[in-house]
């Protein structure tokens, strides 16, 4: 029970008694200790609620007290912050789109085109990189797909897409492993850049095969990469493995295929696939 609720219950109980009520009896009626009662009475007096302690008789409330007092009134519920998703169907925005669909929250999609609206002054004011995805949640602007996934998992905790804080070691490790070494190594390969052993020492991603071996070990024999539940880390890692195997930038290792097979048919991801197909259909 919150302290605010206790204080309001205390006022209600006192309002039911025109005569003073002793401290032990009052505490018993409220289901609290006598010490907690003394603290709550002091808290009410501190905000101007007149609770009189009649010597030898007990507590009585001034008849002028309204319920609830303004100082104890629950704050009016705030309108939920608008969530805007900036993307392009052929971008890493697909990762964030999947995440949003898993959350099941309301959001507005803004599709930006490469080289035009993605480089417009209005959008550059949000993301100076002129890239997608990005989200705007109320006054907060978040860019970078991994950061967006982590942010959304935290601000919408009821969706259960982040493990409890004490169990997030694998969650953070593999979410940002995919955003760092994996993306860097694949990007170099896509550009035809193959670092020498000496150059690999200077790169955070090192050797692409070492990166893939590490990720293979992380997903081998596991349905989810960070514990026993699906999380934002699966959205991010799974997206890269699914796309990479589809486009040939990641080899079809059995452990990658088994892990991806457990993710690709999720209803939220299917809705994202439908969005991409519609965007590129002749009638779109």
């Amino acid at each position: 029970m919150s302290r605010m609720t206790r204080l309001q219950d205390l006022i209600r109980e006192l309002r039911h008694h025109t005569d003073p009520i002793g401290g032990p009896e009052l505490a018993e009626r409220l289901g609290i200790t006598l010490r907690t009662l003394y603290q709550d009475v002091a808290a009410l007096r501190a905000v101007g609620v007149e609770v009189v302690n009649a010597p030898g008789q007990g507590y009585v409330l001034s008849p002028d007290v309204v319920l609830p007092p303004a100082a104890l009134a629950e704050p009016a519920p705030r309108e939920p912050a608008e969530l805007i998703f900036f993307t392009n169907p052929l971008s890493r925005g697909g990762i964030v789109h999947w995440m949003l669909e898993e959350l099941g929250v309301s959001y507005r999609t803004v599709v930006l085109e490469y080289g035009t609206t993605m480089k417009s002054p209005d959008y550059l004011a949000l993301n100076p990189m002129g890239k997608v995805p990005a989200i705007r949640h109320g006054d907060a602007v978040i860019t970078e797909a991994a950061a967006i996934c982590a942010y959304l998992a935290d601000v919408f905790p009821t969706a259960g897409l982040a493990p409890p804080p004490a169990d997030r070691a694998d969650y953070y490790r593999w979410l940002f492993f995919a955003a760092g070494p994996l993306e860097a190594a694949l990007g170099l390969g896509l550009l035809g850049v193959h670092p020498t052993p000496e150059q690999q020492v200077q790169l955070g991603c090192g050797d692409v095969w070492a990166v893939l071996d590490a990720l293979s070990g992380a997903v081998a024999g596991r349905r989810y990469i960070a514990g026993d539940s699906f999380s934002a880390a699966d959205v991010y890692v799974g997206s890269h493995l699914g796309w990479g195997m589809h486009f040939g930038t990641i080899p079809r290792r059995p452990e990658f295929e088994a892990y991806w097979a457990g993710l690709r048919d999720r209803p939220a991801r299917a809705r994202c696939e439908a969005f991409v197909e519609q965007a590129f259909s002749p009638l779109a």
Side-chain angles (χ1 to χ4, degrees):
M1 179 189 300
S2 70
R3 190 176 195 188
M4 184 72 72
T5 301
R6 284 206 322 269
L7 295 179
Q8 292 179 350
D9 287 348
L10 173 54
I11 294 174
R12 290 190 184 93
E13 188 64 35
L14 289 171
R15 287 290 296 272
H16 290 158
H17 297 271
T18 56
D19 297 325
I21 178 173
E25 180 184 353
L26 182 57
E28 183 178 359
R29 285 176 176 272
L30 294 169
I32 59 177
T33 66
L34 198 57
R35 181 179 180 180
T36 298
L37 174 65
Y38 295 154
Q39 293 172 340
D40 288 350
V41 168
L44 288 177
R45 289 171 175 165
V47 296
V49 178
E50 187 178 355
V51 179
V52 179
N53 185 6
Q57 301 180 60
Y59 295 100
V60 65
L61 189 66
S62 169
D64 297 331
V65 174
V66 297
L67 185 64
L72 301 180
E74 295 289 347
R78 294 186 300 175
E79 288 292 325
E82 183 182 20
L83 181 56
I84 306 173
F85 169 44
F86 300 91
T87 189
N88 180 283
L90 285 180
S91 76
R92 289 174 178 81
I95 302 173
V96 174
H97 192 184
W98 182 6
M99 181 70 183
L100 287 165
E101 287 297 314
E102 291 285 355
L103 291 172
V105 298
S106 176
Y107 64 93
R108 177 162 64 90
T109 301
V110 177
V111 175
L112 301 176
E113 300 300 329
Y114 288 102
T116 56
T117 50
M118 212 176 287
K119 301 297 184 182
S120 68
D122 286 346
Y123 185 65
L124 290 174
L126 292 177
N127 184 5
M129 291 291 289
K131 290 181 173 290
V132 292
I135 65 168
R136 186 173 194 169
H137 186 215
D139 294 328
V141 175
I142 306 93
T143 65
E144 315 315 315
I148 295 171
C149 287
Y151 171 86
L152 290 172
D154 283 347
V155 298
F156 297 104
T158 56
L161 292 178
D167 300 325
R168 290 189 183 179
D170 282 346
Y171 171 77
Y172 286 130
R173 178 183 182 183
W174 297 112
L175 174 59
F176 294 107
F177 180 88
L182 180 63
E183 279 229 31
L186 295 179
L188 290 172
L190 190 63
L191 296 175
V193 177
H194 304 288
T196 65
E198 293 76 16
Q199 291 171 327
Q200 291 170 13
V201 174
Q202 299 176 318
L203 297 172
C205 60
D207 172 45
V208 64
W209 298 111
V211 171
L212 293 172
D213 288 346
L215 192 56
S216 292
V219 301
R222 300 177 70 174
R223 183 175 183 185
Y224 305 119
I225 201 166
D228 297 328
S229 301
F230 179 81
S231 72
D234 294 298
V235 172
Y236 195 87
V237 175
S239 293
H240 278 287
L241 288 178
W243 290 343
M245 289 189 291
H246 179 77
F247 291 108
T249 58
I250 291 178
R252 290 185 173 273
R253 295 184 177 185
E255 55 271 31
F256 290 162
E257 291 189 309
Y259 172 69
W260 178 234
L263 303 176
R264 65 187 175 201
D265 294 329
R266 293 181 66 88
R269 184 182 169 276
R271 292 192 292 273
C272 300
E273 289 290 302
F275 168 78
V276 174
E277 292 174 5
Q278 181 180 8
F280 291 98
S281 68
L283 299 178

